[in-house]
Amino acid sequence: MRFKLFEEFVNEGINDPGILKAFFMAGGPGSGKSYVASELFGFPKAATSSVSYATGLKLVNNDNAFEKAIKDAGYDIGKLADYAKDPEVWSKVMAIRDKAKGLTRRMQGNYISGRLGQVIDGTGKDFKKIAGMRKMYTDLGYDTYMVFVNTSL
């Protein structure tokens, strides 16, 4: 019988493949950024999981939290355009969206505190915001990358 050393069981810290890596997803709404991220980084399909067991990367995307919260509140995510026509309903939906964004920011903060690798899934429409985030990550020692998903109309 062969006994393994404790070190062989623990493969954390500097041996984590995704540690101190930040990948920014960019592209238009509905362009397939989340699909591309799941294909590139091994995030489970059709799941709200935010971790890739293949790469160790964490997904930062408030859509999952928003979709769950909107469903829990009794709304249909497919009817957002209809809800936007009613200011009272829309304000409730936007309050749910704000809570989801806050939850996602707290999760991202925890990932950063642990220097965990991340895939930040967003449109990338605000250059100054992305540039500021990139600077923060690089100042912390992260390697940063961008994956741009380009689709035709």
Side-chain angles (χ1 to χ4, degrees):
M1 174 181 248
R2 182 179 183 279
F3 291 97
K4 290 186 176 185
L5 296 174
F6 179 74
E7 289 84 14
E8 291 178 290
F9 286 105
V10 180
N11 193 19
E12 296 178 349
I14 61 169
N15 296 319
D16 285 348
I19 198 163
L20 291 171
K21 304 278 188 268
F23 296 86
F24 293 91
M25 300 299 295
S31 63
K33 294 178 300 295
S34 295
Y35 174 79
V36 170
S38 70
E39 291 294 312
L40 285 177
F41 304 110
F43 292 107
K45 291 176 180 55
T48 58
S49 176
S50 64
V51 65
S52 166
Y53 296 107
T55 62
L57 296 169
K58 305 288 187 185
L59 180 64
V60 178
N61 182 349
N62 64 34
D63 288 346
N64 293 341
F66 177 58
E67 289 173 12
K68 181 181 181 328
I70 202 95
K71 183 179 175 185
D72 290 349
Y75 294 102
D76 180 352
I77 195 76
K79 295 183 179 179
L80 285 178
D82 295 334
Y83 300 147
K85 296 174 187 171
D86 182 339
E88 186 177 323
V89 173
W90 190 244
S91 69
K92 292 176 184 177
V93 168
M94 288 297 97
I96 293 169
R97 180 93 174 157
D98 290 343
K99 283 185 180 182
K101 285 183 176 187
L103 173 64
T104 303
R105 273 193 299 276
R106 286 189 301 279
M107 288 172 50
Q108 185 176 18
N110 289 336
Y111 299 157
I112 291 169
S113 293
R115 302 303 191 256
L116 301 175
Q118 301 164 54
V119 176
I120 300 101
D121 191 348
T123 60
K125 67 180 179 182
D126 186 342
F127 175 79
K128 287 182 180 181
K129 179 181 174 184
I130 297 298
M133 287 178 66
R134 180 184 182 270
K135 181 175 179 352
M136 180 210 44
Y137 279 104
T138 56
D139 287 350
L140 291 170
Y142 276 79
D143 295 326
T144 60
Y145 309 89
M146 179 169 275
V147 177
F148 182 74
V149 179
N150 190 22
T151 54
S152 65
L153 293 176

